[in-house]
Amino acid sequence: MLEFLFKYPGTVFTKGNLVLLGAWPVWALMALILAGAALLAMASWRMRARATSGMRGTRMVTLWLLQSSLLALVLLLLWQPAISVATLKPQQNIVAVVLDDSRSMSLSEDGRTRKDQAIEALNKGVIEQLGRKFQLRLYRFSSGLERIEKLDQVTAQGNATRIGENLAQVAAESATLPIGAIVLASDGADNTGGVDLETVSLLRRHRIPVHTIGVGREKFQKDIEITDVQVAPRALADSRLSAQVTLKHRGYSQAKARLTVKSDSAVLASQEITLKAEGALQSESVVFNAGTAGVKNLQVAAEPLTGEENPNNNSVVRLVNVENRKPRILYIEGEPKWELKFIRRAVEEDRTLQLATILRTTQNKIYRQGISNPAEMEQGFPSKVDDLFAFQGIIIGGVEAGYFTATQMELLKQFVDRRGGGMLFLAGRGGLQEGGWGKSAMADVMPVVLADRKGTFHRDPAYVELTQAGRESLICRLEESPEKNAERWKKLPYLADYQETGTPKPGAIVLADALPSSKGRLPLLITQHYGRGRVGVFATQGSWRWQMLQPLADKSHEMFWQQLLRWLVQDTPGRVIASTPKPVLADETRVPMRAEIRDRNYLPMSDAKVSANILGPQGVAGQVEMRPDPLVPGTYLADWRADKPGAYVAEVLAKRGEEEAGRDVVNFRREDGIAENFGAEQNRELLEKLAAETGGKYYRVSDLAKLPAEISYSEAGITIREIKDLWNMPAVFFLIVLLRAGEWLLRRRWGVV
Amino acid sequence: MRLRSVILALGALVALMSIGYALQRGRMLFDEDDAPIPIPPDANEKTEYAFARLRYPSFRGGSSMWSMRGNWTVDYPKADRQFVQGVRRLTRIHTRSMEEVVDLESDAVFNFPWIYAVEPGHWDLPDHQCKKLREYLLRGGFLMTDDFHGTFEWDIFTASMNRVFPDRPIVEIENKDAIFHVLYDLDERFQVPGIIMFYTGRTYEYDGVEPRWRAIYDDKGRIMVAICHNMDLGDAWEWADHPRYPERYASLAFRVGINYIIYAMTH
């Protein structure tokens, strides 16, 4: 209809420029329009006196506007308006028809695969018509681009969809070939996150329009898809881990689904969830035990539901390196107290953690436990960086800040900030504000602004209640279900004492509150990150009652302390930290690797020689030298190509001269044939945007009739400019009639005809 | 005549036993035992540690004299209050000046992870108390027993203790054990007598000639029950301020007691 009214396809108007072919200047047209409008206005004004009352005011202005518009239109037509548009010269240009050959195109919808839908649509005259006007080049693409002779060479077995990379390759051919346009038939399910700006600007520079044909359903009718799983890449043995699972679904609102975490077919966790609104991203956390040391291939899955169209997007694999290390924690306590005994007992139940304690038994004596040799800390708290930084975590019990020398205080601060260690402050007569920590150098590090007064420590009972953050936190997770967990905390025996901490700092997270009978609600367990490390405050020394006042079989006390202390040390780095942002390569080969190297003082080491020795499947072995990152001191980068699918392990070794600075291991895994299972709905938004950005147009696979005609209007390749007259458009005629008829109808309505 | 002789003989025997019992308890020489003990002004202070004395049912079998009073009260409360003064002065333990009496009938005992039982050679724990004591110790509680002597009292002690822990042996504590080194090095230990020595001239009672430092350990090698057999640390605490009680005994008794508390607070 629109094309009938305006005579030309919409593409002509969007791509062309309006020109006036008449010999007279444009200013003359404008002047005549203004003069005509003025004359009509004067005529109307003169007639005002003789006009009936019904024809004054707004009505007269309306009639004047209609008359002036008609005059302007007629004058415009005298100046011969036309559209100037670039058009591909027939038979001299190439049109590239690029078909998606990835596996997502093999999904069957209404009995036909997406690939078949695309080929059938193109074969219904599109290819033939294009072939009459242009030279055609056929391509298929998945992870790479390949030229084909016939459409039936498309098999839809490719492992990836990389639209951007492959379009860039086609565009690059335009340097030697007159490519006038690209026709891309795809579901748009790109695995690289979309078409990058570089590719779009390349296409725009070559002025190649990309006409996209959207294949496949924009929305599945019934499907669950796991879109992402976040899990810590490293863990201590027997740690609790949380997998943050993001999923979405179609057609299962309020249905129950089951999330599972498996490792080598052993189920580590199974959790029922209720699916929320359709299409919206839903986040769930599944808690599980990391188990014994070793690299774990975790399969996180949503069990398929009845009638699901694409069950292949229900699970993802993540790697977790369960480390065999045993972090050491140094706990200094200012006076004998039951808390120390029961913390020690809780840690003794943990195969991973090691606890060394310094206890001030009398004014002049200390008692050490958990030391590695008789001489360790014989003189008391460490004063040397090597001695202190050998630990991964520190607990400051009820000991006054003044007990530490200035050197020790500075080391404590650097332990968190630079070393990246964890530090936990406990309450007590000499703890927190009572010990002067609020005015010490460590005040900056602490997650609370300590109350500036004495008398903050109370030997009175206080119950504990988790905050919302505490319910989700692994530190406080005594039960798998957050609701049951919160209830269990409420049933814990009261603490023997508590301490007023002051105000939590911005960025600090309060995980639990103390509820003493007389003081309302006070922050009890507060954590925050500081520098490279972590700091926490647990404002009591009376959690031992959880052990003594509950049955022997109850493990609340042990679990809490083990989880708190694991949090304290789990992320404390060594001098070498190796990592990769892509531990699981889904149909990819490039592995970016990164290593942070620190010296003995944990300052960035920029003069190290860093190499990665890699072992892979089927005897793959290699070594890659890592180059310093000029932007980040102490950071080294390298890329590795994983040519074969399977598990890889890379040991990163750092040396300064002949001295070894340290080593670390990073694991990664190449998995083939999985990327295409995800994001398999037609990404219409991507295809429309790509077409719009490059001057092309998006077509449905069922509506390609106009494609052969519209593709001609392009500025790429070999073009001519065509002039398209506008004066004889039916729309102009109808507009003239409309203006005159409108005036007449209004006059009749107002009774002045 | 014959009947009168029997009655006289029995009367004399009862009188002798009464005198002996009184002497054993120090009633005659150390009659301050009956003087009222003032309540310390800071008796209600809330502290980390309180001396918790275990109240238990006494053994009713054998001689009826053991039924005359509750044995758990021996040396109470002077020994307790005098001992905690030493704990306060010699350590950094925040200590209450007044003792706490606990029993195994209520759960209040779980608030006191260190308890002291005197004269357990006279106790007779019913089954439900044995069960509670077992639970208390396995959760992390610590029991110090003291002031029982000889084979006969040992047998009475173990009759109850074997029902608390039928599966755990009572063993000698080795010198190298942390309990003898946690604050004071106590390699050189000797028998700490009660005040009975002033009457008998001996540091031991009955056939308890050798002091025995014994214990029951948990599965992790930690002492749960510290058994001071053939010695009377309680008397040493109680009479440490008496000019006639030798300092060396009092000193060792305080050191042992303090070591046992700090051990319990660290293991």
Side-chain angles (χ1 to χ4, degrees):
Chain A
M1 180 65 180
L2 282 175
E3 200 168 322
F4 166 73
L5 287 174
F6 292 93
K7 194 179 167 187
Y8 310 113
T11 315
V12 172
F13 294 94
T14 54
K15 294 199 167 185
N17 303 315
L18 180 69
V19 292
L20 296 174
L21 300 177
W24 303 315
V26 177
W27 65 264
L29 171 65
M30 302 305 295
L32 280 174
I33 290 172
L34 290 173
L39 283 172
L40 287 169
M42 284 172 60
S44 298
W45 185 258
R46 286 190 177 178
M47 290 173 67
R48 181 172 167 270
R50 287 178 285 155
T52 61
S53 59
M55 270 305 291
R56 289 180 184 166
T58 311
R59 291 179 177 182
M60 188 166 279
V61 171
T62 306
L63 291 179
W64 172 77
L65 277 174
L66 289 169
Q67 290 164 354
S68 300
S69 301
L70 182 61
L71 177 67
L73 180 59
V74 171
L75 288 170
L76 179 65
L77 293 178
L78 290 176
W79 259 252
Q80 298 179 48
I83 290 284
S84 169
V85 61
T87 311
L88 295 173
K89 277 183 97 171
Q91 307 307 330
Q92 294 189 22
N93 286 286
I94 292 171
V95 167
V97 179
V98 184
L99 272 86
D100 189 341
D101 195 28
S102 66
R103 282 203 301 119
S104 62
M105 292 291 283
S106 65
L107 280 174
S108 186
E109 292 163 352
D110 301 324
R112 289 184 308 158
T113 63
R114 292 176 174 181
K115 174 201 76 172
D116 291 341
Q117 291 174 43
I119 292 174
E120 281 174 31
L122 289 169
N123 279 337
K124 279 182 185 171
V126 176
I127 291 290
E128 188 188 345
Q129 289 178 58
L130 288 174
R132 276 193 228 125
K133 292 166 77 175
F134 311 105
Q135 297 175 43
L136 286 184
R137 281 195 167 216
L138 303 180
Y139 297 90
R140 67 177 184 182
F141 79 97
S142 54
S143 50
L145 183 74
E146 185 185 350
R147 192 167 168 201
I148 54 175
E149 296 302 320
K150 294 178 180 176
L151 291 178
D152 57 14
Q153 287 177 261
V154 175
T155 58
Q157 292 301 315
N159 279 335
T161 306
R162 293 186 184 139
I163 295 174
E165 286 176 28
N166 292 303
L167 285 182
Q169 204 173 325
V170 176
E173 292 187 359
S174 68
T176 53
L177 294 171
I179 294 178
I182 296 173
V183 175
L184 170 71
S186 171
D187 53 18
D190 190 273
N191 306 130
T192 58
V195 181
D196 58 304
L197 283 174
E198 205 174 319
T199 303
V200 171
S201 56
L202 176 71
L203 291 164
R204 288 170 70 115
R205 267 203 312 279
H206 289 93
R207 298 184 171 184
I208 302 174
V210 179
H211 298 275
T212 55
I213 301 172
V215 190
R217 281 197 185 128
E218 292 169 37
K219 288 182 181 178
F220 287 127
Q221 291 174 339
K222 283 187 175 290
D223 184 49
I224 299 179
E225 176 174 333
I226 293 189
T227 57
D228 190 27
V229 173
Q230 295 283 335
V231 62
R234 295 166 190 252
L236 297 173
D238 296 326
S239 288
R240 279 196 168 196
L241 285 177
S242 171
Q244 289 294 329
V245 184
T246 308
L247 67 155
K248 63 179 181 182
H249 74 93
R250 300 282 184 198
Y252 291 113
S253 293
Q254 298 307 312
K256 300 284 184 190
R258 182 160 290 281
L259 295 178
T260 58
V261 179
K262 292 181 183 174
S263 171
D264 300 327
S265 76
V267 178
L268 304 181
S270 176
Q271 181 176 319
E272 188 178 78
I273 60 166
T274 303
L275 296 170
K276 296 177 182 168
E278 179 174 312
L281 290 177
Q282 179 174 346
S283 185
E284 300 285 345
S285 72
V286 184
V287 176
F288 59 96
N289 194 300
T292 52
V295 178
K296 302 288 168 69
N297 290 301
L298 298 179
Q299 188 185 40
V300 183
E303 289 182 1
L305 296 179
T306 312
E308 212 177 332
E309 289 175 63
N310 180 17
N312 296 326
N313 60 7
N314 285 31
S315 74
V316 298
V317 172
R318 290 290 181 267
L319 281 189
V320 174
N321 185 6
V322 181
E323 296 172 316
N324 200 19
R325 64 190 173 101
K326 293 191 169 183
R328 287 188 86 200
I329 299 167
L330 173 57
Y331 175 12
I332 180 164
E333 185 53 78
E335 61 186 22
K337 56 178 64 167
W338 299 117
E339 196 78 330
L340 179 139
K341 167 201 183 102
F342 287 102
I343 292 173
R344 283 189 53 81
R345 285 181 165 229
V347 172
E348 281 174 12
E349 299 282 322
D350 193 310
R351 287 180 294 177
T352 302
L353 298 174
Q354 299 179 83
L355 184 66
T357 53
I358 301 176
L359 170 65
R360 295 180 68 199
T361 51
T362 73
Q363 202 60 26
N364 300 307
K365 289 185 84 170
I366 58 169
Y367 179 60
R368 297 165 296 150
Q369 290 174 277
I371 49 178
S372 53
N373 63 71
E376 189 180 26
M377 298 182 292
E378 200 170 18
Q379 301 304 315
F381 194 79
S383 300
K384 293 179 182 170
V385 66
D386 282 352
D387 296 336
L388 189 65
F389 284 15
F391 292 94
Q392 280 75 40
I394 293 175
I395 304 173
I396 308 283
V399 56
E400 304 84 357
Y403 180 72
F404 299 93
T405 64
T407 304
Q408 288 170 329
M409 195 62 87
E410 179 59 23
L411 278 180
L412 282 174
K413 190 171 182 179
Q414 295 306 334
F415 180 84
V416 180
D417 190 14
R418 206 168 68 208
R419 163 79 176 88
M423 188 169 293
L424 179 68
F425 290 88
L426 303 181
R429 292 194 300 165
L432 303 177
Q433 187 54 34
E434 299 300 312
W437 287 95
K439 289 189 166 62
S440 74
M442 293 299 288
D444 196 31
V445 176
M446 299 180 84
V448 288
V449 179
L450 293 175
D452 189 14
R453 59 188 167 81
K454 293 288 183 180
T456 56
F457 179 64
H458 307 279
R459 291 193 190 274
D460 292 314
Y463 285 97
V464 182
E465 193 169 295
L466 293 183
T467 63
Q468 188 57 43
R471 292 181 188 201
E472 303 295 330
S473 169
L474 288 181
I475 296 174
C476 306
R477 192 62 75 92
L478 304 179
E479 296 277 355
E480 303 299 342
S481 150
E483 293 74 26
K484 284 185 183 173
N485 190 43
E487 285 305 309
R488 183 160 167 187
W489 274 82
K490 284 180 183 172
K491 290 176 184 168
L492 287 179
Y494 62 76
L495 300 167
D497 49 56
Y498 66 94
Q499 189 156 359
E500 297 169 63
T501 58
T503 316
K505 290 179 182 173
I509 301 171
V510 180
L511 299 177
D513 288 327
L515 306 176
S517 56
S518 59
K519 287 194 168 56
R521 182 180 290 268
L522 299 169
L524 176 73
L525 178 59
I526 313 107
T527 63
Q528 78 167 16
H529 287 273
Y530 184 90
R532 299 176 79 215
R534 300 147 303 287
V535 193
V537 167
F538 187 47
T540 182
Q541 58 170 33
S543 71
W544 59 267
R545 289 191 85 256
W546 298 343
Q547 171 63 22
M548 285 302 292
L549 273 292
Q550 295 195 103
L552 187 61
D554 187 287
K555 296 295 177 189
S556 304
H557 179 268
E558 291 93 330
M559 284 173 71
F560 168 72
W561 276 102
Q562 287 168 12
Q563 287 166 185
L564 178 59
L565 297 186
R566 280 165 179 268
W567 165 82
L568 197 68
V569 296
Q570 182 150 303
D571 293 330
T572 301
R575 288 175 57 190
V576 175
I577 315 169
S579 62
T580 173
K582 291 183 178 174
V584 176
L585 303 164
D587 298 283
E588 289 182 79
T589 54
R590 181 180 160 267
V591 193
M593 287 191 287
R594 188 172 186 273
E596 279 183 59
I597 317 295
R598 301 264 165 165
D599 65 12
R600 285 177 180 278
N601 292 314
Y602 280 81
L603 292 167
M605 188 192 280
S606 298
D607 58 347
K609 187 182 175 192
V610 185
S611 60
N613 292 298
I614 301 158
L615 289 175
Q618 301 166 43
V620 170
Q623 187 181 52
V624 58
E625 296 298 320
M626 302 187 75
R627 61 190 185 284
D629 183 346
L631 300 176
V632 188
T635 300
Y636 296 77
L637 306 170
D639 278 340
W640 168 259
R641 188 177 169 85
D643 286 323
K644 295 180 179 173
Y648 291 78
V649 57
E651 184 182 50
V652 174
L653 174 66
K655 282 186 171 181
R656 178 186 262 167
E658 289 304 308
E659 182 199 357
E660 181 179 318
R663 60 182 70 203
D664 192 19
V665 168
V666 60
N667 297 278
F668 52 91
R669 182 178 185 84
R670 179 178 151 189
E671 293 255 331
D672 283 0
I674 56 170
E676 282 298 304
N677 298 329
F678 296 86
E681 290 177 339
Q682 185 198 139
N683 191 344
R684 179 170 175 167
E685 186 184 350
L686 174 80
L687 297 174
E688 281 186 331
K689 199 170 174 185
L690 175 62
E693 291 284 339
T694 56
K697 189 178 171 185
Y698 169 83
Y699 297 87
R700 291 169 182 272
V701 73
S702 56
D703 187 20
L704 299 182
K706 295 176 187 170
L707 174 63
E710 292 180 333
I711 204 169
S712 299
Y713 303 106
S714 166
E715 294 189 9
I718 300 166
T719 61
I720 54 169
R721 292 208 78 80
E722 283 188 358
I723 301 296
K724 309 272 187 188
D725 285 328
L726 298 180
W727 67 269
N728 53 358
M729 288 191 304
V732 173
F733 172 74
F734 286 123
L735 184 58
I736 291 170
V737 171
L738 187 67
L739 289 170
R740 288 304 298 161
E743 183 183 347
W744 182 78
L745 285 170
L746 286 174
R747 285 178 181 275
R748 268 190 68 86
R749 184 182 175 85
W750 295 333
V752 292
V753 176
Chain B
M1 179 65 189
R2 200 170 168 190
L3 180 62
R4 186 190 298 171
S5 301
V6 171
I7 291 170
L8 282 172
L10 279 174
L13 182 63
V14 169
L16 279 172
M17 287 180 67
S18 299
I19 290 167
Y21 184 73
L23 285 172
Q24 186 184 348
R25 306 262 45 92
R27 289 280 192 274
M28 295 177 72
L29 185 65
F30 296 85
D31 55 357
E32 296 90 332
D33 194 21
D34 288 332
I37 305 297
I39 293 176
D42 56 352
N44 294 322
E45 185 188 9
K46 294 169 183 170
T47 59
E48 181 72 10
Y49 168 79
F51 186 99
R53 176 179 283 264
L54 182 66
R55 177 168 52 213
Y56 57 80
S58 293
F59 183 72
R60 302 290 172 182
S63 170
S64 59
M65 77 177 177
W66 279 313
S67 308
M68 291 170 69
R69 57 180 289 189
N71 294 79
W72 68 269
T73 62
V74 170
D75 309 329
Y76 170 80
K78 189 184 171 196
D80 314 24
R81 293 182 195 171
Q82 201 141 281
F83 174 57
V84 294
Q85 291 305 315
V87 177
R88 281 181 155 195
R89 192 168 61 81
L90 297 171
T91 75
R92 288 177 62 84
I93 302 172
H94 189 208
T95 307
R96 202 167 82 188
S97 59
M98 187 145 145
E99 70 290 336
E100 181 82 22
V101 176
V102 295
D103 60 33
L104 294 168
E105 290 297 325
S106 82
D107 284 345
V109 66
F110 292 107
N111 286 312
F112 300 90
W114 188 98
I115 54 176
Y116 172 81
V118 75
E119 291 202 1
H122 298 263
W123 71 3
D124 184 13
L125 302 181
D127 284 346
H128 69 281
Q129 290 199 10
C130 289
K131 187 179 172 189
K132 182 161 283 185
L133 183 56
R134 176 189 174 90
E135 177 78 7
Y136 167 87
L137 294 168
L138 290 176
R139 286 186 197 177
F142 184 96
L143 169 65
M144 176 180 176
T145 63
D146 175 39
D147 190 10
F148 65 117
H149 310 265
T151 311
F152 184 69
E153 291 187 352
W154 176 259
D155 290 342
I156 293 174
F157 167 74
T158 54
S160 286
M161 189 48 79
N162 285 342
R163 282 184 290 122
V164 176
F165 285 123
D167 51 344
R168 294 181 188 276
I170 296 172
V171 296
E172 299 289 334
I173 307 173
E174 293 184 24
N175 261 359
K176 65 181 182 186
D177 195 294
I179 203 165
F180 293 135
H181 304 278
V182 65
L183 179 59
Y184 299 108
D185 287 320
L186 300 175
D187 294 310
E188 301 297 326
R189 297 182 305 280
F190 42 81
Q191 193 166 47
V192 176
I195 56 171
I196 190 68
M197 73 172 172
F198 293 107
Y199 305 98
T200 63
R202 299 192 300 261
T203 58
Y204 65 90
E205 298 176 38
Y206 311 126
D207 59 343
V209 178
E210 289 293 322
R212 294 290 185 184
W213 311 83
R214 291 169 169 156
I216 299 174
Y217 286 82
D218 70 6
D219 294 338
K220 301 271 184 186
R222 300 172 298 217
I223 293 175
M224 295 185 289
V225 184
I227 304 161
C228 299
H229 184 223
N230 295 340
M231 64 189 86
D232 192 347
L233 304 177
D235 258 8
W237 298 337
E238 183 181 8
W239 302 111
D241 60 342
H242 198 282
R244 290 190 60 189
Y245 193 85
E247 179 276 334
R248 66 188 292 259
Y249 297 134
S251 180
L252 180 61
F254 271 80
R255 288 173 184 226
V256 169
I258 288 171
N259 263 29
Y260 280 20
I261 295 171
I262 293 180
Y263 178 90
M265 296 180 97
T266 51
H267 288 79

